[in-house]
Amino acid sequence: MGAGQADAAVRSRAAQSRAVLDKAARENFPVAPFFLPRAWRDDLMAVYGYARLVDDIGDGDLPPGRDDALWLGLPREAADDRLAMLDAFEADLRRVFDATPGHPLLRALQPTVRRRGLTPEPFLGLIEANRQDQRVSRYQSHQDLLAYCELSANPVGRLVLAITGTATPERIRRSDAVCTALQIIEHLQDVAEDLRRDRVYLPAQDMARFGVTEADLAAPTGGAKVRALVKFEAERAGDLLNEGTPLVGSVHGRLKLLLAGFVAGGRAALAAVAAAGYDVLPGPPKATKLGLLREVGSTLRREG
């Protein structure tokens, strides 16, 4: 490969990695806002890029023409085999800790791992959650859903605490509550989209209690039973978010503002769901920027 081709390949890798990171702007909460120290922002974005890419692999959302399979040592056509991709991604992740990974987002993650002394466990949890998504598409009980969130959501909060050097057992417990709540809220916003992927994150026991069937979830708009079910799940997620909110008051400075943003993102999303009359089927109810800012202020006043 000539120098020009090599430069083009580097630019292509950078552009494809940036496409993953750009999804941060569409989250319910700020991923790495401007007011954080640059080192924190860089490390948080490296972790976000990892988490986003794992989800894209598990959801089959890798754009056509991307080189992810090649970077992971697989033939390009393997990009459609989600379990094979997750297995290869796990193998490449392990190289982050003792060698040199092949995927550019994992190479970008390696300095963060070394600088912050991060361990493999939370990263492996996110991969296992996406493996579970290939095997499990329905959840019988609320407890089953919480166990899934332990893999799919809680590792992210634990990584934030590790990056900022603020992890304690009590903060981890509160963080887990916030992260699980945020995951459940996202599922509530995305009921229709998830069903199109043949996934239902509303517990079957709760659906039966409210007399809701999957045919009801496939309707263009939610009937009274669906809206009652969504309201019930939203209130339960709100209780969980409240349980975790003291995490904000346990830290200081810019980290307090970051964590308030996480909590506020969940509260603003719940407010948007309520404002839609708990009818989430036409499309995900989204919080406004003004609504998010109001919730940030409210959270800081309560936890100041």
Side-chain angles (χ1 to χ4, degrees), residues 21-291:
L21 297 176
D22 283 347
K23 293 184 180 182
R26 300 197 290 273
E27 298 291 347
N28 278 331
F29 48 85
V31 173
F34 70 92
F35 57 77
L36 292 180
R38 177 61 183 270
W40 281 8
R41 292 204 312 272
D42 290 347
D43 289 341
L44 289 170
M45 287 305 294
V47 166
Y48 174 82
Y50 172 87
R52 184 69 265 169
L53 181 58
V54 174
D55 282 351
D56 284 351
I57 292 172
D59 290 340
D61 282 346
L62 293 173
R66 280 269 296 267
D67 295 328
D68 298 271
L70 299 179
W71 292 330
L72 297 175
L74 298 175
R76 190 183 294 276
E77 56 270 21
D80 295 328
D81 186 336
R82 300 181 193 182
L83 285 172
M85 286 287 289
L86 289 169
D87 288 347
F89 195 68
E90 178 178 332
D92 208 32
L93 166 69
R94 293 184 184 278
R95 296 184 192 103
V96 169
F97 296 89
D98 60 15
T100 301
H103 198 288
L105 277 173
L106 291 179
R107 289 202 294 273
L109 179 66
Q110 194 167 46
T112 292
V113 165
R114 291 174 174 172
R115 184 161 50 241
R116 305 298 179 183
L118 303 181
T119 61
E121 286 73 23
F123 298 103
L124 291 170
L126 295 173
I127 293 175
E128 189 56 35
N130 278 275
R131 282 203 187 97
Q132 184 166 315
D133 279 336
Q134 313 312 310
R135 303 188 303 265
V136 180
S137 60
R138 306 293 188 275
Y139 290 86
Q140 182 65 23
S141 69
H142 182 62
Q143 281 303 123
D144 293 336
L145 188 60
L146 294 182
Y148 169 71
C149 292
E150 177 69 23
L151 295 172
S152 68
N154 298 357
V156 176
R158 295 183 181 203
L159 285 166
V160 170
L161 294 178
I163 285 170
T164 57
T166 55
T168 67
E170 177 64 10
R171 285 178 180 144
I172 289 171
R173 185 178 75 81
R174 299 287 189 183
S175 172
D176 286 353
V178 170
C179 290
T180 291
L182 293 176
Q183 178 78 86
I184 291 172
I185 293 165
E186 183 177 327
H187 288 327
L188 292 179
Q189 291 174 295
D190 293 339
V191 167
E193 179 183 342
D194 288 335
L195 186 61
R196 288 192 291 271
R197 298 178 184 271
D198 193 30
R199 296 178 186 171
V200 178
Y201 293 102
L202 296 166
Q205 290 177 353
D206 296 344
M207 290 177 63
R209 173 183 170 184
F210 285 87
V212 173
T213 68
E214 289 191 21
D216 295 325
L217 300 182
T221 60
K225 291 179 180 180
V226 171
R227 287 183 278 111
L229 171 60
V230 172
K231 184 174 187 290
F232 172 76
E233 303 295 353
E235 289 175 348
R236 187 153 60 178
D239 290 341
L240 196 56
L241 194 59
N242 290 337
E243 180 184 330
T245 297
L247 173 67
V248 176
S250 75
V251 298
H252 304 283
R254 287 177 280 188
L255 179 58
K256 179 189 287 286
L257 188 55
L258 175 68
L259 298 182
F262 292 166
V263 171
R267 287 192 170 138
L270 285 174
V273 170
Y278 299 97
D279 185 4
V280 297
L281 299 187
K286 293 294 186 181
T288 64
K289 288 185 178 180
L290 180 59

